[in-house]
Amino acid sequence: MAEVDPGRATGSRRGRGRGLRLGHRRPQTWEISDSDVEGAPAREVGTQTPSTVGERRAAAKALRADQVLGRLVVCVDPAVLEDAGSDILMEALATLGCECRIEPQHQARSLQWNVVRTDPAPSNVPLEAKPENEQEQLLLLEPQEFLQGAVQLTQITDSACSIPWLSPKSLTRSHLAVIGLDAYLWSHQPSPQKTWQLKKSKEAHARVAISWPEIEEALVLLQLHANLDVLLVASWQELSQYVCAFTKALSQLPSKQFRDSKAFSFCTAGHWASGQQVTRDGSGLRGVWWQQIRQFNRVSPAVADAVVTAFPSPRLLQQALLDCSTEQERLSLLADLPVKAHRGKQPRRVGPDLSRRICIFLTTTNPDLLLDLSS
């Protein structure tokens, strides 16, 4: 194949068109070879300065979950340590690798998560620390305290009611956790022998005068009107597992947010999804053409090899289609191309169906035309 005349290539396409025979100006509707989109990544890589590369590496490293986890600080209110089961929680936090601090919080018996910013931070690294009004907080409630607030919620009809356990001026995103609610309700369930004791005290009767349907109603109200999650756990061991899982999820959040903010965030990174690499001298364009043929329905690698072997570039195939004298000849141009058969199999051809579809793909001006008649 002849090389492209350098005088006919312009801009970023100079020197990249080897293997393509240019008869006339190519239409923009089907070009898939040496486009600016394909060449842009190669140019960017070649012009990157060492400082830019270093910043990109620092940004990628700073967003890794293990790096963010090392900068996470879990602040535990001293009142949490008054419970005997808190040792299980503290031991679980110590094994994560994050920093754990014992500091008084705005809400007693609460945990709060903060991220320490890197100083100095690379310019292109997004800040992992959330705004002050989005910091996470977990408030631990006693079963008795939770039930009293649940009774208040079920008796209030105003949807804009305040949450009994939280301050309305709180700037943190709060979650609630109740340890041992089932055991508490079971132990305080009135029996025939204890009914007379409960009726003596109105306060004691109010503590247990709530059923599971009413508790579930309170949970729904908290979720709908306050967007507040309530975690019901049976033990400190279960609470520790939840806190550790929540901490790990927070460490993974910056990388997920950065990935989702990019264009085409649904594309998965990986060698299989990166496509065919095209260099400045045109190497790789034939592979791009082969992959384009493979994108048609019911096209095997052997069939794509047959088409690319006969016409190594889309430009050569389009020129051959334009040289056909009749429409029928154009549609069946590729039909008789031999396809290399595997051992023990009969030789075959490309066939009229794929020939017609490729012809329409390269020649039609109707963007709504259906290529595959069987679809």
Side-chain angles (χ1 to χ4, degrees):
M1 290 178 289
E3 290 186 353
V4 176
D5 184 3
R8 300 180 63 179
T10 59
S12 62
R13 302 180 182 180
R14 183 179 301 275
R16 296 179 55 211
R18 294 176 182 171
L20 299 180
R21 185 185 304 168
L22 301 181
H24 58 279
R25 186 177 182 84
R26 287 176 292 183
Q28 299 295 323
T29 55
W30 61 270
E31 181 179 357
I32 62 170
S33 57
D34 52 340
S35 63
D36 293 335
V37 178
E38 292 287 346
R43 290 195 302 273
E44 292 179 0
V45 173
T47 58
Q48 283 182 348
T49 62
S51 60
T52 303
V53 175
E55 289 183 358
R56 289 171 61 91
R57 291 178 179 176
K61 183 178 180 181
L63 290 176
R64 282 166 38 186
D66 57 339
Q67 297 294 323
V68 178
L69 186 61
R71 296 193 298 272
L72 262 178
V73 179
V74 183
C75 300
V76 182
D77 188 80
V80 176
L81 304 180
E82 297 177 1
D83 195 295
S86 60
D87 294 341
I88 302 176
L89 174 63
M90 301 305 295
E91 292 176 1
L93 289 174
T95 60
L96 283 180
C98 61
E99 183 179 355
C100 187
R101 299 177 183 175
I102 309 300
E103 296 178 353
Q105 302 299 308
H106 296 291
Q107 294 279 341
R109 290 177 55 83
S110 66
L111 289 79
Q112 185 166 318
W113 285 262
N114 299 314
V115 178
V116 178
R117 301 181 183 181
T118 56
D119 189 21
S123 58
N124 55 348
V125 178
L127 296 178
E128 302 92 352
K130 294 185 177 182
E132 184 66 24
N133 60 347
E134 292 186 1
Q135 290 181 344
E136 305 288 344
Q137 172 187 272
L138 178 64
L139 178 61
L140 306 183
L141 298 177
E142 294 287 349
Q144 173 73 22
E145 184 180 5
F146 172 74
L147 292 177
Q148 290 178 351
V151 171
Q152 297 178 19
L153 287 175
T154 56
Q155 294 176 352
I156 297 176
T157 58
D158 186 8
S159 60
C161 62
S162 60
I163 306 304
W165 314 281
L166 302 176
S167 171
K169 298 181 180 180
S170 177
L171 300 178
T172 58
R173 175 177 170 82
S174 300
H175 311 267
L176 301 181
V178 185
I179 304 176
L181 180 62
D182 286 342
Y184 180 85
L185 291 176
W186 182 262
S187 62
H188 289 74
Q189 185 69 24
S191 60
Q193 294 80 8
K194 296 182 178 180
T195 303
W196 64 275
Q197 296 179 356
L198 295 176
K199 289 183 178 180
K200 283 185 177 181
S201 173
K202 294 183 179 180
E203 181 181 359
H205 184 70
R207 287 202 298 262
V208 294
I210 184 172
S211 60
W212 262 115
E214 293 173 323
I215 294 177
E216 292 175 350
E217 179 184 353
L219 295 177
V220 172
L221 291 174
L222 290 173
Q223 182 66 47
L224 294 180
H225 299 308
N227 193 23
L228 187 63
D229 301 324
V230 180
L231 177 67
L232 303 179
V233 294
S235 62
W236 279 89
Q237 180 69 34
E238 188 176 346
L239 176 67
S240 301
Q241 294 175 356
Y242 170 82
V243 171
C244 291
F246 186 78
T247 305
K248 292 179 180 179
L250 287 181
S251 67
Q252 298 170 359
L253 186 60
S255 61
K256 291 182 179 179
Q257 289 178 337
F258 181 72
R259 181 188 62 195
D260 294 341
S261 65
K262 293 295 184 179
F264 305 108
S265 60
F266 52 84
C267 294
T268 306
H271 176 71
W272 67 272
S274 59
Q276 178 71 36
Q277 183 178 3
V278 180
T279 60
R280 290 179 178 272
D281 62 356
S283 300
L285 290 177
R286 181 165 176 162
V288 175
W289 173 228
W290 185 87
Q291 289 184 350
Q292 182 66 52
I293 298 298
R294 284 278 288 138
Q295 289 180 4
F296 287 92
N297 291 335
R298 304 180 303 279
V299 175
S300 64
V303 174
D305 289 337
V307 176
V308 174
T309 301
F311 299 95
S313 71
R315 182 61 188 162
L316 295 176
L317 178 55
Q318 190 196 40
Q319 185 63 47
L321 292 173
L322 294 177
D323 293 341
C324 294
S325 57
T326 63
E327 181 68 17
Q328 183 60 33
E329 182 183 357
R330 186 178 298 111
L331 292 174
S332 59
L333 178 64
L334 304 176
D336 293 330
L337 289 179
V339 177
K340 185 178 180 181
H342 295 285
R343 294 180 180 178
K345 294 186 177 181
Q346 296 294 331
R348 55 196 179 98
R349 303 175 304 157
V350 170
D353 178 63
L354 179 60
S355 178
R356 180 192 60 82
R357 285 186 283 155
I358 295 179
C359 173
I360 295 175
F361 172 71
L362 293 179
T363 59
T364 186
T365 57
N366 180 11
D368 299 323
L369 186 62
L370 185 63
L371 296 180
D372 195 348
L373 297 179
S374 63
S375 62

